[in-house]
Amino acid sequence: MNDWPEGRNGGPGERYGQGSANPQPESARAMPHVRRRPAPPQGAPQAPPRIPPQGQGYADDGYDSGYNTGQVYGGGNGGGQGGGGYGSGGSDRGYVQGRPTPNWGRRIKVGALTLVVALLAVSIGTYFWADGKLKREVDLSKVIDRPSEGEGTNYLIVGSDSREGMTAEDKKKLHTGSAEGKRTDSMMILHDGSNGPTLISLPRDSNVEIPSFVGSESGKTFKGTGRTTKLNAAYAEDGPELLVRTVEFNTGLRIDHYVEIGFGGFAKIVDAIGGVELDIPKAFKDKKSGADFQAGKQTLNGEQSLAFVRTRYAFAGSDLDRTKNQQKFLAALASQTATPSTVLNPFKLYPTMGAGLDTLIVDKDMSLWSLGKMFFAMKGVTGGEGTSMNIPISGSTGGNLVWDKAKVKQLVEQLKNDEKVTVKGN
């Protein structure tokens, strides 16, 4: 018996609940829940209608069902990694994808590589710029009858009274006078070896023999006659080549490199690094050099530094005391220049290098690398790694200082064999 009202008994072919005749109830259908976008505020610009890409259009039968066709709930900038909406199968229908996570490891590597390349380029450029400034004017191949080579490297460092490039005002300010030509104001041998550097001053008044030599300009051979004179006279007679020949002949030590700097260049280097700090143990004054110093620590500018290294008449030991001051100052100059504040500061490094290299005269075989090694060896003299001394003196004759030949021979043997120096100088 059918208890349903008439017309609800589900006759054949009729759907359940819709006048269907099907005796079985229809299964429940889940209706998708769609979150509709909120209506834009009144007066706001309307977004243009979305046009499906070609080939993916929808049937346009004029009927708007109101259902969302696969769009991700909550807007077009949500969605999964594929960038498509719900039910889109990952296809891109114009929605913005999220930005990929930055690869910081790769960025750091690229940045580091760029920095290294830039530093390398600057370093190479600086090297060739500085190397091109060196005045390679001394030809040691013209020096004859040279001693045999030894261990380590020997530099002959010369401070000349050259006034080249100086104005009349500079000469007056630096108390250099206006003498023509140039003479050696100081001479030192710097030995750089495995037992630390050794700096040996050769007083300009040293009594030495002028040996046979070949003229640096004329090419003419001049035979030795046993003539003795002051060491600085060799330089005045035929320049750096004869000075090297005379030093090698009287010491037996081979000179590997020659370095010379004049008055003006010396003062410029000091000013470029901002002065050199020195501890002067006793006050002294000298009209000829312009020196006027109080005792104690003080920073010397270029003018004061030149006066300090040139003064000899204010000291009882005259030239011997002056050479000691020259050693002290040059070591301090090297020590205070080879610092991170100078080397890593281009505003200090380039003026210093420019001031120094413009006035340096070196031998033809001198490289910038060799010059740098000499500079750091000089620094090592004050760092407790090396020794500074005057060449041993036995007395004087006619105002000239006579070398102690026995001690000089022992000293030279220790240097040639790169042994620890035990000889004591004056």
Side-chain angles (χ1 to χ4, degrees), residues 1 3 20 23 53 67 80 101 116 137 146 170 240 258 266 411:
M1 180 175 178
D3 294 329
S20 173
Y67 287 96
T101 303
V116 169
E137 300 177 359
R146 309 195 67 187
D170 291 335
Y258 176 92
F266 181 83
L411 172 63

Side-chain angles (χ1 to χ4, degrees), residues 191-218:
H191 173 81
D192 185 20
S194 57
N195 278 295
T198 301
L199 185 62
I200 306 163
S201 286
L202 309 176
R204 55 178 274 176
D205 294 337
S206 297
N207 192 67
V208 294
E209 180 181 342
I210 301 296
S212 300
F213 67 97
V214 174
S216 59
E217 296 294 334
S218 66

Side-chain angles (χ1 to χ4, degrees), residues 152-225:
T153 304
N154 300 311
Y155 302 86
L156 181 60
I157 304 172
V158 174
S160 75
D161 64 0
S162 171
R163 297 155 179 85
E164 183 179 353
M166 295 175 62
T167 64
E169 185 179 350
D170 291 335
K171 295 174 185 178
K172 182 178 180 180
K173 177 182 177 182
L174 299 176
H175 301 272
T176 63
S178 300
E180 294 297 325
K182 58 180 182 179
R183 288 151 293 278
T184 51
D185 213 48
S186 61
M187 291 157 284
M188 303 178 188
I189 294 174
L190 175 64
H191 173 81
D192 185 20
S194 57
N195 278 295
T198 301
L199 185 62
I200 306 163
S201 286
L202 309 176
R204 55 178 274 176
D205 294 337
S206 297
N207 192 67
V208 294
E209 180 181 342
I210 301 296
S212 300
F213 67 97
V214 174
S216 59
E217 296 294 334
S218 66
K220 180 181 177 180
T221 299
F222 296 87
K223 293 292 184 180
T225 61

Side-chain angles (χ1 to χ4, degrees), residues 24-42:
Q24 297 297 327
E26 184 181 8
S27 59
R29 288 187 295 171
M31 300 298 290
H33 175 71
V34 178
R35 179 181 297 175
R36 293 183 180 274
R37 295 174 181 265
Q42 193 171 11

Side-chain angles (χ1 to χ4, degrees), residues 252-253 408-419:
L253 185 68
V408 169
K409 183 178 179 180
Q410 183 184 0
L411 172 63
V412 169
E413 285 300 315
Q414 290 177 343
L415 295 177
K416 291 180 72 170
N417 296 327
D418 205 14
E419 300 171 352

